[in-house]
Amino acid sequence: MQTPTPGPGEALLTIVKTGVCGTDEHLLHGGFIATFPLVPGHEMVAEVAAHGDGVTWPAIGTRVVVDNTVFCGECSACRRGTQLYCEKFISLGCNAPGGFAEQVVVRASKLYPIGDLDPDIAVFTEPTACAMHGVDVLGLSPASDVLIFGAGPTGLILAQLLRMAGAARVTVAAPTASKLALAAQHGAAHTVQMDRSNPRAALDRLRTIAPEGFDAVVEATGSTAVLESAVSLTRTGGTLLVYGLAGENATAAIRPYEVFSRELTIKGSFAQANCIGRALFALQSGVVSTQGMITSELGLADFGQALDNLKDSAQIKSVMVPQL
């Protein structure tokens, strides 16, 4: 394969590791913002291999993480300061070449040196940035009581960030016991195992934990059935954050009268904008821990296995390593 050539303002990167997430599978089926042909992979750790014209930083050999979001800076959304709604939004690995490759070309301005941070930790920077954006959108009040549905990498990171952002108590609900055990290790006050064949038992347990409902409920699974249940578990006057990626044509049954009469707030969280620096700092400082989250490392030829791992409850995070 021909080595890509960096243009003015760009850098050529040699990929060290790229994380795999559920969005990658949605993209391969044409969902989200996929544009084909596509090299996916948006959670990149890489090493600077060459500079394009006008680029002198980061130095060649520097290990970096990549802010995969690129905004035009000229449309009405960008001019309003709401770059995430950019009319020409580009996301590397989603509608532009990404990191499931040996090398990729990226704007140098989108690179963040990781210093001596272990790449196994740095590879979580992009998902941490997305979770951080979700926490920003949620806007917790101090001493909030929060429920998260989902104990994948996003749920585990959200649980930690939400405690930093004002949650006095975080409860995590998910089907897999081993993932819930990890959530408890990372600070969840309560964990509730959800039996897909008997969801009522888990919902009753959650109502026992918070009889009046939770101040905020985060749906981080993409399941419409879970989203429907989340409404009833939200305290009157509380907020429901739709974080998980459902199918574009999926629908959920929510009673408008309940939203009206209980003054519920429903918010969405899409990707991230300008959160990579904060996310990297959170990982470097250790306030967000990713210990135990990587469960599989695979070479590029095993991408199919990485996708299968997304459906394996024993797997938490797969990482592609081109050198394998």
Side-chain angles (χ1 to χ4, degrees):
M1 182 178 293
Q2 186 175 3
T3 300
T5 302
E10 296 178 333
L12 174 67
L13 305 181
T14 298
I15 298 295
V16 176
K17 295 176 184 286
T18 301
V20 181
C21 87
T23 301
D24 295 312
E25 184 174 32
H26 282 271
L27 289 165
L28 292 178
H29 294 290
F32 196 45
I33 58 172
T35 299
F36 299 110
L38 175 67
V39 176
H42 54 278
E43 302 175 0
M44 293 173 266
V45 181
E47 187 172 294
V48 178
H51 292 150
D53 289 346
V55 177
T56 59
W57 183 94
I60 291 174
T62 302
R63 284 192 167 181
V64 298
V65 290
V66 178
D67 182 351
N68 68 305
T69 57
V70 182
F71 312 110
C72 75
E74 298 176 350
C75 69
S76 61
C78 287
R79 287 161 63 89
R80 290 198 306 270
T82 53
Q83 290 179 309
L84 193 53
Y85 316 136
C86 174
E87 295 170 10
K88 300 177 182 178
F89 178 73
I90 294 174
S91 179
L92 305 181
C94 298
N95 59 358
F100 293 151
E102 293 179 350
Q103 293 185 306
V104 66
V105 167
V106 174
R107 290 186 187 182
S109 61
K110 291 294 181 176
L111 304 180
Y112 289 74
I114 66 172
D116 60 359
L117 186 65
D118 189 325
D120 282 348
I121 299 173
V123 76
F124 287 92
T125 302
E126 194 276 344
T128 299
C130 290
M132 192 167 283
H133 173 73
V135 173
D136 288 344
V137 169
L138 185 56
L140 282 184
S141 298
S144 292
D145 193 7
V146 181
L147 167 63
I148 301 172
F149 282 107
T154 291
L156 295 170
I157 292 169
L158 275 167
Q160 298 175 69
L161 290 174
L162 287 165
R163 290 179 61 223
M164 293 169 55
R169 181 174 71 170
V170 174
T171 298
V172 178
T176 307
S178 59
K179 293 179 181 179
L180 290 173
L182 194 55
Q185 291 176 28
H186 288 309
H190 295 288
T191 60
V192 175
Q193 188 168 7
M194 301 186 70
D195 183 348
R196 291 186 175 94
S197 65
N198 182 23
R200 176 60 54 188
L203 298 179
D204 289 345
R205 169 65 179 143
L206 290 168
R207 290 190 180 93
T208 299
I209 293 171
E212 296 181 3
F214 296 86
D215 297 309
V217 178
V218 180
E219 200 300 295
T221 71
S223 165
T224 55
V226 172
L227 177 61
E228 291 170 356
S229 298
V231 174
S232 66
L233 290 165
T234 305
R235 183 194 298 272
T236 295
T239 301
L240 169 59
L241 179 68
V242 181
Y243 188 96
L245 176 58
E248 291 183 22
N249 296 319
T251 59
I254 294 174
R255 294 187 299 125
Y257 183 79
E258 184 173 6
V259 177
F260 161 77
S261 63
R262 298 209 293 122
E263 293 198 344
L264 301 178
T265 299
I266 301 176
K267 296 182 175 182
S269 177
F270 168 77
Q272 62 85 27
N274 305 314
C275 294
I276 291 287
R278 283 193 294 153
L280 180 59
F281 181 59
L283 293 166
Q284 289 172 323
S285 66
V287 295
V288 170
S289 171
T290 61
Q291 185 176 2
M293 293 188 197
I294 293 179
T295 48
S296 185
E297 289 196 342
L298 302 161
L300 294 176
D302 297 317
F303 182 55
Q305 181 61 55
L307 294 178
D308 290 342
N309 287 351
L310 293 169
K311 303 178 182 67
D312 183 350
S313 62
Q315 295 287 331
I316 300 177
K317 187 71 170 180
S318 294
V319 173
M320 306 303 294
V321 183
Q323 292 76 21
L324 289 180

